[in-house]
């Protein structure tokens, strides 16, 4: 009986697809699994290279042209026979203990819909880099952050198959369908993250382009809009754009001028007040998240001295210490020991 289905969507990744598949085949102590390589209309020999690997656990699923990764993932979910479904991108690598550790977690925590992990980075040639992406571990922190960012990365996620069939990827989202997926699931079910590196993400030139950044902004704003509507917040296009930039201040030298700071204080307070009525995000974690983003706005002020003065005076700052503790502790090595306890997630 197949316990885990690993879905690997592929579109023109001939240089990397074999390494991705072999990283799954090399799993240690994993339950019985299958690998579904879902072709999204590749025009190179990605599919031929995958098919050349002689292993009965590999299935190739072909489609009709390049329809996008959300469509490919949904096709894989529909074809999967496993009790659990794990995702892996076609240019990434699963570390040898990934499937075993995530399956053990879901076996031990039947109330959780899915589990993620921390992500390392490798270069185009597969050499490990020092960069690490630490995601939150606890379900309440993941739920509290979902209005701003995803608490789980698709390429490091394992979920119960019935959950993914109940919450399909939104195929209208050319970019960000994974963020949208986990935001919707986190609204209804506990999610968790393992505080250890289980996936390596490959960094290569095809990933970062101006077009991709513009697409990311456009579709993330759509996802923000859906959550804001549920929260009962009135907003305009400018609010969505500014909300998007809350995550990007300090990147590429972006700074907050006085107009943006004024907007951020009003906006974050509105979110806090609305959640007091709707109770869509867990408290006190949500107020802590808002305080951390407010602190980021003030720190990255064009006039930092004035920004820090605003930080000291604003009521939004009151939960900053606890908010910082929640955000950092769920991403720290110290939390690793605590996270092994069932009550910690």
């Amino acid at each position: 009986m197949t316990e885990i289905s690993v879905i690997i969507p592929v579109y023109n990744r001939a240089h990397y697809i074999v390494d991705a598949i072999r990283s799954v085949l090399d799993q240690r102590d994993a339950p019985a699994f299958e690998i579904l390589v879902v072709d999204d209309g590749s025009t190179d020999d990605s599919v031929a290279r995958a098919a050349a690997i002689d292993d009965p656990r590999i299935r190739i699923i072909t489609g009709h042209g390049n329809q996008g990764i959300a469509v490919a993932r949904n096709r894989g979910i529909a074809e999967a026979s496993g009790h659990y479904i794990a995702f892996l991108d076609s240019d990434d690598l699963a570390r040898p203990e990934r499937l075993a550790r995530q399956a053990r977690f879901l076996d031990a925590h039947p109330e959780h819909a899915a589990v993620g992990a921390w992500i390392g980075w490798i270069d185009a040639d597969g050499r490990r880099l020092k960069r690490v992406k630490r995601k939150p571990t606890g379900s309440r922190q993941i739920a509290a952050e979902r209005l701003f960012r995803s608490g789980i990365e698709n390429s490091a996620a394992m979920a119960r198959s019935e959950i993914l069939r109940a919450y399909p990827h939104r195929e209208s989202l050319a970019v960000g369908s994974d963020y949208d997926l986990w935001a919707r699931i986190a609204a209804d079910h506990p999610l968790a993250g393992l505080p250890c590196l289980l996936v390596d993400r490959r960094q290569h030139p095809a990933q970062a382009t101006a077009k991709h950044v513009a697409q990311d902004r456009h579709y993330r704003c759509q996802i923000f809009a859906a959550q804001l509507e549920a929260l009962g917040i009135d907003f305009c296009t400018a609010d969505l754009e500014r909300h998007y930039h809350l995550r990007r201040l300090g990147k590429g030298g972006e700074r907050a001028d006085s107009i943006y700071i004024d907007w951020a204080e009003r906006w974050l307070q509105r979110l806090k007040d609305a959640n007091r009525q709707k109770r869509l995000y867990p408290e006190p974690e949500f107020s802590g998240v808002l305080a951390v983003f407010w602190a980021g706005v003030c720190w990255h002020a064009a006039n930092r001295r004035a920004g820090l003065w605003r930080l000291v005076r604003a009521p939004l700052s009151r939960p900053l210490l606890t908010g910082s503790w929640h955000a950092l502790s769920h991403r720290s090595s110290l939390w690793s020991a605590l996270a092994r306890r069932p009550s910690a997630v």
Side-chain angles (χ1 to χ4, degrees):
M1 178 180 175
T2 302
E3 186 69 11
I4 303 170
S5 296
V6 182
I7 297 175
I8 307 179
V10 59
Y11 175 69
N12 290 351
R13 287 288 186 260
H15 293 301
Y16 307 125
I17 184 62
V18 171
D19 287 344
I21 293 171
R22 292 205 179 279
S23 76
V24 180
L25 295 176
D26 290 341
Q27 293 292 295
R28 294 195 294 256
D29 302 320
F33 63 84
E34 63 176 355
I35 301 173
L36 279 62
V37 178
V38 185
D39 179 39
D40 189 30
S42 296
T43 56
D44 64 6
D45 62 345
S46 296
V47 174
R49 294 191 184 200
I53 302 174
D54 186 17
D55 193 298
R57 292 172 291 183
I58 301 172
R59 283 199 282 150
I60 309 295
I61 300 174
T62 57
H64 304 285
N66 180 220
Q67 296 181 291
I69 195 166
V71 174
R73 285 171 174 155
N74 283 343
R75 289 208 328 263
I77 292 166
E79 294 281 346
S81 61
H83 179 57
Y84 301 138
I85 292 175
F87 294 111
L88 184 69
D89 288 349
S90 56
D91 46 3
D92 293 348
L93 302 177
R95 295 202 177 186
E97 67 277 14
R98 179 198 168 176
L99 296 185
R101 295 192 66 162
Q102 291 186 312
R104 282 199 301 268
F105 178 90
L106 291 176
D107 287 344
H109 298 82
E111 73 283 1
H112 279 70
V115 61
W118 292 353
I119 297 172
W121 291 78
I122 55 177
D123 65 15
D125 297 319
R127 292 184 292 265
R128 285 183 180 169
L129 307 174
K130 294 182 178 180
R131 182 179 175 188
V132 174
K133 192 167 190 177
R134 293 176 173 86
K135 307 298 288 186
T137 56
S139 60
R140 291 178 65 87
Q141 188 67 22
I142 290 172
E145 293 184 12
R146 67 186 176 89
L147 183 53
F148 299 90
R149 55 194 170 205
S150 180
I152 288 186
E153 298 275 337
N154 248 35
S155 198
M158 181 183 289
R160 301 181 192 279
S161 57
E162 66 269 21
I163 291 290
L164 292 175
R165 292 190 174 105
Y167 294 81
H169 292 78
R170 284 173 57 196
E171 296 178 0
S172 60
L173 298 172
V175 177
S177 61
D178 48 352
Y179 168 42
D180 172 75
L181 170 75
W182 299 116
R184 287 185 287 118
I185 295 177
D188 299 328
H189 302 278
L191 305 177
L194 297 182
C196 52
L197 290 164
L198 295 182
V199 171
D200 288 306
R201 174 167 292 162
R202 195 181 300 270
Q203 182 174 294
H204 56 85
Q207 292 170 317
T209 67
K211 178 182 177 182
H212 290 163
V213 172
Q215 279 190 323
D216 178 75
R217 181 173 62 250
H218 173 74
Y219 288 106
R220 277 187 182 270
C221 284
Q222 289 189 23
I223 299 164
F224 295 149
Q227 292 193 60
L228 292 169
E229 288 169 358
L231 197 54
I233 292 285
D234 293 327
F235 57 89
C236 62
T237 301
D239 291 326
L240 293 177
E241 293 279 346
R242 288 166 172 166
H243 185 87
Y244 174 84
H245 281 285
L246 285 169
R247 300 170 55 252
R248 300 190 61 82
L249 287 173
K251 296 180 180 180
E254 284 196 37
R255 295 290 178 181
D257 59 20
S258 60
I259 295 174
Y260 188 88
I261 295 173
D262 289 342
W263 169 86
E265 185 172 13
R266 293 192 305 270
W267 178 252
L268 295 173
Q269 186 63 53
R270 285 179 64 198
L271 297 180
K272 186 172 183 174
D273 293 342
N275 193 55
R276 189 178 296 119
Q277 299 296 321
K278 295 283 188 174
R279 300 182 180 180
L280 298 185
Y281 303 90
E283 289 287 8
E285 289 84 358
F286 185 63
S287 290
V289 170
L290 298 178
V292 169
F293 275 99
W294 169 239
V297 170
C298 295
W299 178 256
H300 293 295
N303 183 335
R304 180 166 291 171
R305 184 174 181 178
L308 294 178
W309 179 241
R310 292 283 295 272
L311 178 64
V312 170
R313 296 178 60 192
L316 274 170
S317 304
R318 289 171 188 162
L320 180 58
L321 289 179
T322 55
S324 299
W325 162 249
H326 280 296
L328 294 174
S329 65
H330 282 251
R331 293 170 168 86
S332 71
S333 299
L334 175 62
W335 185 253
S336 300
L338 298 175
R340 296 192 187 100
R341 303 177 186 177
S343 61
V345 287

